[in-house]
Amino acid sequence: MRKLLRAAVVVPLLLVTGACGSEGAEPVAPASSAPPPVPESALPSSALPAPTGDPATRAAATVARLSDEDLAGQVLMPYAYGSAATEVDKIAAGGNQQLAGVNTPAEMIAKYRLGGLILVSFTAGDPTSDTNPTTNVENPEQVRKLTAGLQQASAALPVQAPLMIGTDQEYGVVTRITEGVTMMPSAMAFGAAAQPSLTEGAWRAAGEELAAMGVTVDFAPVADTLGPQGSGVIGSRSYGADPAVNSAQVAAAVRGLQSAGVAASLKHFPGHGHTTGDSHDELPVIAQSRAKWEKEDLPPFKAGIGAGAGVVMSGHLDLQAVDKGTAATFSHKVMTDVLRGELKFTGVAISDAMNMAPAKKWPAGEAAVRALNAGNDMLLMPPDIRAARDGILDGLKSGSLKRERLTEAVTRILTLKFTTAQKTQPELSVVGSEQHRQAVTALDAASITVLKGRCTGSLVTGPVTVTAPGSRETARANLVRALQDAGVTVQAAGGTVVHLVGYGDGLADLNADAGVTVMMDNPGLLGSAKSPTLIATYSSSKLSLTALAAVIAGKAKAPGRSPVAVPGLPRSACVK
């Protein structure tokens, strides 16, 4: 109920901010100190020239000339209101005033000398919606124009470095940019396919699209391994329950993303898969022994680091076997002794959102210093940007934050920025391209899993009727079209019922009369379905449903195997 009420409050804001630049919106002019609007001619390429020379050497030289204010700004990555860099409507300006005392995202960058900005979106059904109170992404063209404007603002800063622009493009239930992009399935679908080569190809396609839109860091892949009691928290965002399989998938995702010039971020370190709490609301406990944690949770993070991941995101998680009672984000034992000392990670450590409950235990300034001292290099989404920045500066003055720790953090950040900037930004035409569609289609086809039913030939006899809960009308309509394209007769009523359920659905959403029940998320609900045929797609994307239609029509096999156990069912009825 709390989330529903919150959504009701936020939606009017989204309706206005999402219409930035449309008829009826009242734009707020940028302050005189803000960079000018970005001309259309500037959009095809980055606002900053590609850095030359060794990134680490250039980063060290840059840090040596920066002031304390420059250093403090570089470790901050907030969000902002408004879908353009220099012109926003009055409500978006009000949001930015409350968050940072400015009107526009460009002014926020200029005032606080920011090192990064995260692009966000609010969707009521998104499990991360509590930390994303607005939407500033609409479609690829708008995102590219926004990021070009943000980079132009960053170009005016003394640091003379690109802005780090991140987003949570996990695909599945956590996907920020949905319109016009090639939609991949959830991580669990990759785990069901269990073909790292397909994973790498699909994530390369995703990375190229993100790079074309100006995103430099994707907060993916999720490296959490699911435990039997933690599955409901992370769910289909994880590749599954097998640490070895997950390790191969995470490494492939890292290679794919970073080959396109987008830094991958492993999350949520030290592992959110065996917890029962949600770190948006409380401090979840990782209760395994040290040996079990190392065996069950650590391998995918090791694999991702070994594959060269540029970023690791700390989770607000209580790893009791290492530092009981302290969130990992604020634990030197976890973020420095383990991550740096034992795992030898040399990239950027970034906190999970600092506007989540465990991080708000302290005022924003104190929390910022604590997170930096623990070993984080960058602070994501501070709830009060001014207070976070001032807390860092006060820490430098008092000695509670050593300047060496701050310069170390900024050196890592700049090294990553200069590294990603070496790659030429792709043209926007790659977004949604046929080549990318083919790469993701192959992955979707490999993921479809029949947990109960026939394995060859058509899975239905005669016409079918597709049903779903009311919230899944888009998926239902997409499956209808895909079945028709596959040669299956679909009628409004009277056919064999193919029933769709997805993320957040429960027993009441099942259809007792269904001949086929399809789960478009974590397949656990299929254990309670009574249909003679049970199928998992792990995703409601159009390409996943097209692959499903081919299996139902008997034109393709179902080679997937569930990466999590479903009570009373095998991992696959068709694959050993």
Side-chain angles (χ1 to χ4, degrees):
M1 178 61 73
R2 178 176 63 83
K3 289 187 177 181
L4 290 175
L5 289 172
R6 183 179 177 280
V9 172
V10 173
V11 166
L13 172 63
L14 300 184
L15 292 176
V16 180
T17 58
C20 182
S22 63
E23 184 177 357
E26 297 184 28
V28 175
S32 58
S33 60
V38 184
E40 292 291 336
S41 60
L43 299 183
S45 61
S46 173
L48 285 170
T52 57
D54 175 68
T57 301
R58 183 172 180 179
T62 301
V63 167
R65 62 175 174 77
L66 296 181
S67 68
D68 288 353
E69 290 77 10
D70 294 321
L71 294 171
Q74 282 298 298
V75 302
L76 300 177
M77 181 183 270
Y79 64 91
Y81 291 84
S83 55
T86 58
E87 188 175 273
V88 302
D89 59 55
K90 288 183 177 179
I91 292 184
N96 289 326
Q97 283 288 343
Q98 184 175 12
L99 184 64
V102 298
N103 288 332
T104 70
E107 291 173 18
M108 190 183 297
I109 292 168
K111 181 175 182 178
Y112 294 100
R113 309 182 194 186
L114 295 178
L117 202 78
I118 182 171
L119 307 183
V120 296
S121 68
F122 175 83
T123 304
D126 186 324
T128 66
S129 61
D130 276 358
T131 57
N132 289 264
T134 187
T135 295
N136 56 12
V137 294
E138 299 164 9
N139 56 63
E141 293 79 9
Q142 174 267 325
V143 174
R144 180 153 172 149
K145 186 173 181 178
L146 169 62
T147 58
L150 298 175
Q151 290 292 7
Q152 187 175 22
S154 182
L157 297 180
V159 69
Q160 296 284 288
L163 189 72
M164 189 182 294
I165 300 177
T167 197
D168 290 290
Q169 193 81 348
E170 296 177 14
Y171 298 92
V173 296
V174 178
T175 307
R176 301 293 180 237
I177 309 164
T178 58
E179 183 180 330
V181 302
T182 305
M183 284 295 290
M184 295 201 303
S186 68
M188 193 168 282
F190 288 82
Q195 295 189 42
S197 62
L198 293 181
T199 300
E200 185 170 344
W203 275 104
R204 182 180 298 111
E208 290 174 355
E209 297 195 0
L210 288 167
M213 291 183 281
V215 174
T216 67
V217 177
D218 188 10
F219 294 120
V222 172
D224 302 325
T225 295
L226 295 180
Q229 300 302 315
S231 299
V233 178
I234 296 298
S236 63
R237 300 169 65 191
S238 165
Y239 290 100
D242 186 321
V245 173
N246 290 2
S247 295
Q249 292 296 316
V250 166
V254 168
R255 290 193 300 268
L257 261 176
Q258 298 199 162
S259 68
V262 175
S265 177
L266 309 175
K267 65 184 189 186
H268 308 80
F269 186 77
H272 209 327
H274 285 79
T275 62
T276 55
D278 186 341
S279 57
H280 288 84
D281 306 312
E282 58 182 292
L283 179 60
V285 170
I286 303 172
Q288 297 112 297
S289 67
R290 175 72 185 247
K292 291 196 90 175
W293 168 70
E294 290 181 352
K295 180 181 178 180
E296 297 171 346
D297 285 342
L298 211 52
F301 290 99
K302 284 184 176 180
I305 291 170
V311 180
V312 169
M313 178 182 286
S314 65
H316 305 318
L317 308 165
D318 179 3
L319 181 57
Q320 295 194 330
V322 174
D323 195 0
K324 186 174 182 179
T326 303
T329 300
F330 305 99
S331 170
H332 190 275
K333 292 180 181 178
V334 174
M335 295 305 297
T336 298
D337 296 348
V338 175
L339 182 61
R340 303 292 186 187
E342 297 179 21
L343 301 187
K344 308 302 180 185
F345 178 63
T346 59
V348 173
I350 188 168
S351 73
D352 204 344
M354 297 292 284
N355 60 0
M356 293 163 66
K360 293 171 74 174
K361 177 179 177 181
W362 305 278
E366 182 179 353
V369 171
R370 285 176 176 268
L372 288 166
N373 279 333
N376 291 277
D377 302 309
M378 205 165 200
L379 309 177
L380 187 64
M381 303 172 79
D384 185 325
I385 301 172
R386 183 197 299 273
R389 190 273 313 273
D390 290 350
I392 294 168
L393 295 177
D394 289 344
L396 291 174
K397 292 176 183 176
S398 69
S400 63
L401 175 64
K402 301 300 183 184
R403 200 172 194 275
E404 293 78 9
R405 168 77 272 269
L406 189 58
T407 57
E408 176 186 56
V410 177
T411 302
R412 288 175 181 151
I413 291 167
L414 292 177
T415 300
L416 182 63
K417 289 183 180 186
F418 293 143
T419 299
T420 56
Q422 289 179 321
K423 197 86 170 180
T424 301
Q425 185 179 15
E427 295 297 325
L428 202 56
S429 59
V430 304
V431 180
S433 67
E434 179 59 26
Q435 182 181 6
H436 291 175
R437 186 178 183 278
Q438 289 176 4
V440 176
T441 294
L443 185 282
D444 281 308
S447 70
I448 305 301
T449 306
V450 172
L451 287 88
K452 180 181 178 184
R454 293 200 300 270
C455 299
T456 59
S458 176
L459 303 189
V460 295
T461 301
V464 303
T465 298
V466 181
T467 63
S471 61
R472 314 224 171 268
E473 178 54 29
T474 298
R476 193 197 71 80
N478 284 336
L479 181 58
V480 167
R481 285 191 290 269
L483 287 168
Q484 291 171 334
D485 290 343
V488 177
T489 301
V490 183
Q491 56 192 43
T496 299
V497 173
V498 177
H499 187 67
L500 301 175
V501 285
Y503 174 76
D505 289 339
L507 294 175
D509 298 296
L510 294 172
N511 185 337
D513 298 324
V516 179
T517 296
V518 179
M519 184 56 179
M520 302 182 293
D521 194 65
N522 189 327
L525 188 59
L526 293 177
S528 300
K530 305 303 180 184
S531 302
T533 299
L534 302 174
I535 305 176
T537 67
Y538 316 95
S539 168
S540 61
S541 74
K542 185 178 291 187
L543 292 181
S544 289
L545 295 175
T546 299
L548 168 66
V551 171
I552 291 175
K555 295 187 174 183
K557 294 183 178 181
R561 186 175 182 273
S562 176
V564 293
V566 179
L569 294 171
R571 296 293 181 100
S572 169
C574 306
V575 180
K576 291 186 178 180

